[in-house]
Amino acid sequence: MSMTTIGTTRIGILGAGRVGTGLARALAAAGHDVTLGHRRPPETSAADATGSARPIRHADQRTTAATTDVVVNATPGDSALARLSALDGELAGKILVDVSNATRHDPDGLPSDLCYPGSSLAERLQQALPATRVVKTLNTMLFTVMTDPAALATPPTVFLSGDDAHAKTVTEGLLADLGWRPEWIEDLGGIATARATEAAVLLVPHVLRRHGLKPFAVSLAR
């Protein structure tokens, strides 16, 4: 992966599951200053090696939000609104990149319904955090594609939704650092357009049942 296209940025990742960890490693390898935020404070402050000069730091989520400039929400979507609303002070004035989908789950643990029909998690986050610039992206693909889009046989699409043009420009730079080419990035417009991409998650259980965890993305064909 090439070095960053937007300069070194202090990035906080809220959520230390496979999505958050994957994004943290890829962004640190691209040259960014990354802190991975855990629900509970880690027992040690040891940093992870990433193959780059910048290791990943670990902290609790409040500290992560307070000490970084761009914050990525990779927490479970069904509880993200309450979790991030409690960090309104720490997130004020910052860019919040939301990659989660707020869904209810079936007995197999797969998405079965939207938590916010007629709206979206991204819209609810923007309403709850008026001093924060929310951008929705990376929520229409299997998690492995977020950091390795070129692995797909067909050129993928990543969608952007957000009300702030500068926040979307910064996010586009981070996407480039993850391997997303400019022609693969589709800016849909304001934050209300996130309800369309969030609804695409209802395709996921059907795709997974047929094909398993084979990488895929919801993409535009032209």
Side-chain angles (χ1 to χ4, degrees):
M1 182 180 296
S2 63
M3 289 298 288
T4 177
T5 60
I6 63 170
T8 300
T9 303
R10 295 190 306 169
I11 301 173
I13 312 286
L14 303 182
R18 57 191 181 183
V19 172
T21 299
L23 289 171
R25 289 174 177 166
L27 290 168
H32 294 290
D33 186 351
V34 177
T35 301
L36 187 59
H38 300 252
R39 290 185 64 182
R40 298 177 181 82
E43 294 181 2
T44 68
S45 59
D48 290 338
T50 62
S52 72
R54 295 184 179 277
I56 298 170
R57 286 189 291 273
H58 296 263
D60 62 89
Q61 293 184 355
R62 187 172 297 278
T63 299
T64 298
T67 58
T68 55
D69 302 310
V70 177
V71 179
V72 178
N73 173 40
T75 66
D78 58 351
S79 59
L81 182 58
R83 188 189 313 274
L84 272 66
S85 294
L87 302 176
D88 57 337
E90 290 79 5
L91 292 171
K94 300 183 179 181
I95 297 171
L96 175 65
V97 180
D98 176 31
V99 305
S100 294
N101 288 305
T103 59
R104 299 182 177 87
H105 297 86
D106 63 21
D108 295 329
L110 296 174
S112 62
D113 200 3
L114 302 175
C115 290
Y116 307 113
S119 184
S120 64
L121 172 60
E123 289 174 89
R124 295 295 184 95
L125 287 170
Q126 188 61 88
Q127 292 165 4
L129 303 166
T132 304
R133 295 167 287 168
V134 179
V135 180
K136 188 79 180 192
T137 194
L138 289 173
N139 63 308
T140 54
M141 63 201 67
L142 193 68
F143 67 95
T144 58
V145 179
M146 294 178 174
T147 58
D148 192 15
L152 296 182
T154 304
T157 303
V158 62
F159 300 96
L160 283 175
S161 300
D163 293 335
D164 187 273
H166 175 68
K168 286 195 284 188
T169 297
V170 171
T171 303
E172 287 177 353
L174 296 178
L175 290 173
D177 291 337
L178 295 174
W180 290 91
R181 300 177 185 174
E183 63 269 25
W184 296 349
I185 301 173
E186 186 75 19
D187 186 344
L188 296 178
I191 199 67
T193 64
R195 66 183 65 181
T197 58
E198 288 191 25
V201 74
L202 298 181
L203 289 169
V204 170
H206 311 297
V207 173
L208 294 183
R209 287 191 179 100
R210 287 182 59 84
H211 302 287
L213 288 175
K214 184 178 179 180
F216 71 91
V218 176
S219 299
L220 294 177
R222 290 191 175 94

